[in-house]
Amino acid sequence: MLGPAFVAAIAYVDPGNVATNATAGASFGYTLLWVVVAANVLAVLVQTLTAKLGLATGRDLATLCRLTLPKPLTRLLWAQAEVVAIATDLAEIVGGAVALNLLFGIPLPIGGLLTAGVAFALLGLQRFGHRPFERAVTGCLLVIAAGFGYTMVDAGVDPAGVVAGLAPTPLTGDAAVLAVGILGATVMPHVVYVHSALTPGRYGDAVTAGRTRAGRGRLLRAQRLDVLLAMVLAGLVNAVLLVVAAGLFAGQGEQSLESVHAGLAEQSGQGASIAFALALLASGFAASSVGTHAGQVVMAGFLQKHIPVLLRRTITVAPAVGLLVWGADPTTALVWSQVVLSFGIPFALVPLVWLTARRSVMGAWVNRATTTAAAVLVAVAVTALNAWLVVDVLT
């Protein structure tokens, strides 16, 4: 019964996470490790609610928004979701292009096109049912975990620094920007939509089975186990990325993906640098395919419209390839794409909390009062953090 959450988890270890966590570790050492842990806790709650929404209703979040919200608001939510999709694809395509360049010396624009092509092929596995696609994406997730995990072998990690980094500290200036980027790279708004579309029908006729307390309990346990295993694995990968960067580059300021790769080769050997590049490549390929699937879910749910996948792929890939042709710094583009994603979180999270708290929508699956209170607190905290960032940057 495992699978949907592992597809969603790929979005939590995409190239944007690599760039953001590497920059955080290099700039501030272990100081922002607590942000990574906190963001992953939020991700567990968000993805649990998302999966439960699909289980209880048999519909995805975008469709439920269209059915329950005023049409102008639905159009607004669709428009921002498309912006989020473009920011998502920018991170995946740029990350895959950088990995191909590091491994084979392929020029970045060509690497971006190759990444888009491989992601399109992975998405094509859905023609054979949900299992082949889930297995391929989960395989990529294991490659990512193994690759980045290997980089810790000789990274010079300071255990005392890691423990100290788990204590919350004030956020100002560049640290606030990176904290928001970590949040955007962890709690991905587009995957809130896609996860809710993966669970309907995934556990059989969940609506019928959930009419009894025992049936609901069995399905919720399976769904929660799926989310917990997938999110813990993704959270460990994110923590490793920051810890490795802190061990190698603490105090040296922002590091590009290329410099992290070179630093690993110099201090840990060629094997560590190759493992890093392979993990980054798997991340770009798999996350890009999940992002494209999310775009399909968003358009079909909000507008009841479908466009050819190839056309959608071309539209969302164009900005990323354009940046690579223009010569923009890949790491900077990745970090700021995550900040954009963070601003999209409330637009997905607020409807999710509202819908899962309504008995008319969820029936017996409705949230408990404590769950709704925790989810409201998360939504308010994320929105406040984003507002704080705007004020901090402007002033």
Side-chain angles (χ1 to χ4, degrees), residues 120-384:
F120 185 76
L122 280 175
L123 195 61
L125 293 175
Q126 290 181 320
R127 292 177 297 175
F128 306 104
H130 59 82
R131 269 302 185 197
F133 179 65
E134 287 177 2
R135 286 171 178 161
V137 171
T138 302
C140 289
L141 180 60
L142 295 177
V143 170
I144 294 165
F148 289 135
Y150 182 76
T151 63
M152 282 192 66
V153 175
D154 295 311
V157 176
D158 176 17
V162 171
V163 173
L166 295 174
T169 54
L171 300 172
T172 57
D174 290 341
V177 175
L178 281 172
V180 174
I182 289 170
L183 186 63
T186 305
V187 185
M188 303 285 276
H190 77 284
V191 87
V192 174
Y193 294 109
V194 79
H195 194 180
S196 66
L198 291 171
T199 52
R202 182 64 179 77
Y203 300 99
D205 189 354
V207 176
T208 300
R211 288 173 182 164
T212 65
R213 184 184 296 270
R216 284 194 303 276
R218 184 175 65 255
L219 292 173
L220 285 172
R221 284 192 296 272
Q223 170 260 309
R224 287 169 181 166
L225 179 63
D226 190 31
V227 170
L228 186 62
L229 291 176
M231 294 299 112
V232 167
L233 180 57
L236 288 174
V237 170
N238 285 322
V240 164
L241 287 168
L242 187 146
V243 165
V244 167
L248 291 174
F249 307 108
Q252 298 182 28
E254 182 176 342
Q255 300 290 318
S256 66
L257 294 174
E258 294 87 349
S259 63
V260 173
H261 179 263
L264 284 168
E266 180 180 344
Q267 299 189 41
S268 301
Q270 201 66 31
S273 65
I274 292 174
F276 173 84
L278 287 174
L280 181 63
L281 185 63
S283 172
F285 285 168
S288 187
S289 64
V290 173
T292 301
H293 182 49
Q296 294 173 290
V297 169
V298 162
M299 178 163 282
F302 280 122
L303 303 183
Q304 287 185 294
K305 296 183 182 297
H306 296 269
I307 63 174
V309 179
L310 183 58
L311 176 59
R312 163 168 284 281
R313 199 81 188 110
T314 302
I315 294 171
T316 55
V317 164
V321 175
L323 279 175
L324 294 175
V325 171
W326 183 38
D329 178 65
T331 303
T332 301
L334 285 171
V335 171
W336 278 101
S337 74
Q338 303 311 296
V339 174
V340 172
L341 289 176
S342 187
F343 280 98
I345 294 171
F347 293 97
L349 196 53
V350 171
L352 174 66
V353 175
W354 178 68
L355 288 166
T356 54
R358 294 185 65 190
R359 186 170 292 276
S360 61
V361 174
M362 300 291 290
W365 300 77
V366 69
N367 288 344
R368 295 178 180 177
T370 52
T371 303
T372 298
V376 168
L377 183 62
V378 168
V380 170
V382 170
T383 303

